[in-house]
Amino acid sequence: MPVSGPAAKRFFNILKNVAFIVAGILSAGMGLKGFLLSSHFIDGGATGISMLLSAALHLPLSWGLLLINIPFLVLGYRQMGLRFALKSAAAIAGLALCLVVVPYPDVTPDRLITAVFGGVFIGAGIGLAMRGGAVLDGTEILALLINRNTPLLKVSDIILILNIFIFGVAAFVLGVTEALYSILTYVSASKTLDFLLNGIEQYTGVTIISEQSEAIREAITTHLGRGVTIYKGQSGYGKRGEHREERNIIFTVVTRLELPKLREEIKRLDPHAFVVQHSVDDAVGGMLKRRPLH
């Protein structure tokens, strides 16, 4: 009998996650074997540490990837559960096997192209694996753990500090030129990863304070098709904030592509409206437009 209902949805989600992880492994393998290894460039994180050890000790990179990521996988098991740890272990083992088995071509001797596109393929690989619920580089797990105990540092700050140390060591092991090109690889990979996870339509939260709040609310819900949240507030102006008036404050979440239209509507209805906008890392539910690859 054909599978339907919740069971079919679970099966489809499993297939989708497996496809993302396999595509991520193949993409990261292309970045490493097709671009970086022949030019002696490295990436950041656990992958970069593995590549440094491979260059310094002449060890196979596949073994380095497995050994370096073991402590991070143990942390992942303790912090995020067995399922996440097993999926990540399978993904990292798959990448190590891919580097041994798949005959990637050495694409180009051009160092600049190697650094940029090697980073693109690695960033795409990490991003696709994360879409599938796994990681190919364990330093993100360590960064999350440190962030929980040290809230002054963001995850991105911790990863940056770790990579500064890695590229500093690379300057001594591989040479200054190779280390600088490796930094370019890391930047390229980071931008590609950010694009895959956030997309071109990154969410933006917008707070609007206006005397025409009802007209603006109607324009957002009717013309843009977005949900809004309205909460009560008081204005406070004058030298001591003594002038207080009730205000309806509007909050909505839109994509960056929708933001110009929203600002145009606000300006049309109230040129003096006070508007504050900020980026939103992620949002689910409500009347949100689904991002690609979600």
Side-chain angles (χ1 to χ4, degrees), residues 15-36:
L15 284 181
K16 182 178 70 172
N17 290 338
V18 169
F20 276 138
I21 293 172
V22 171
I25 289 170
L26 293 174
S27 179
M30 182 65 185
L32 291 170
K33 200 171 179 180
F35 288 93
L36 300 187

Side-chain angles (χ1 to χ4, degrees), residues 211-222:
E211 294 180 357
Q212 306 297 325
S213 57
E214 179 58 27
I216 293 173
R217 180 201 65 78
E218 186 176 351
I220 294 172
T221 55
T222 303

Side-chain angles (χ1 to χ4, degrees), residues 179-202:
L180 292 175
Y181 274 114
S182 297
I183 293 172
L184 181 58
T185 297
Y186 168 70
V187 172
S188 176
S190 298
K191 294 298 181 182
T192 306
L193 174 62
D194 180 64
F195 178 80
L196 266 178
L197 295 183
N198 296 320
I200 192 172
E201 298 180 296
Q202 185 178 14

Side-chain angles (χ1 to χ4, degrees), residues 261-280:
K261 187 175 181 180
L262 172 62
R263 295 182 69 91
E264 182 181 325
E265 289 288 330
I266 295 171
K267 187 175 181 180
R268 179 178 64 83
L269 295 168
D270 184 3
H272 303 292
F274 181 63
V275 180
V276 179
Q277 65 186 61
H278 57 87
S279 61
V280 176

Side-chain angles (χ1 to χ4, degrees), residues 49-124:
I49 297 173
S50 304
M51 297 174 80
L52 274 177
L53 290 177
S54 176
L57 304 177
H58 304 289
L59 295 174
L61 176 59
S62 55
W63 285 104
L65 287 171
L66 294 173
L67 294 174
I68 294 298
N69 279 293
I70 286 175
F72 300 121
L73 291 173
V74 173
L75 286 175
Y77 165 68
R78 292 179 178 176
Q79 298 297 318
M80 302 176 191
L82 179 62
R83 185 177 179 183
F84 170 81
L86 289 177
K87 288 173 73 173
S88 297
I92 292 167
L95 177 58
L97 181 64
C98 180
L99 293 176
V100 174
V101 173
V102 179
Y104 289 105
D106 186 4
V107 177
T108 176
D110 187 286
R111 288 187 159 195
L112 181 59
I113 294 177
T114 294
V116 172
F117 283 92
V120 167
F121 277 99
I122 291 174

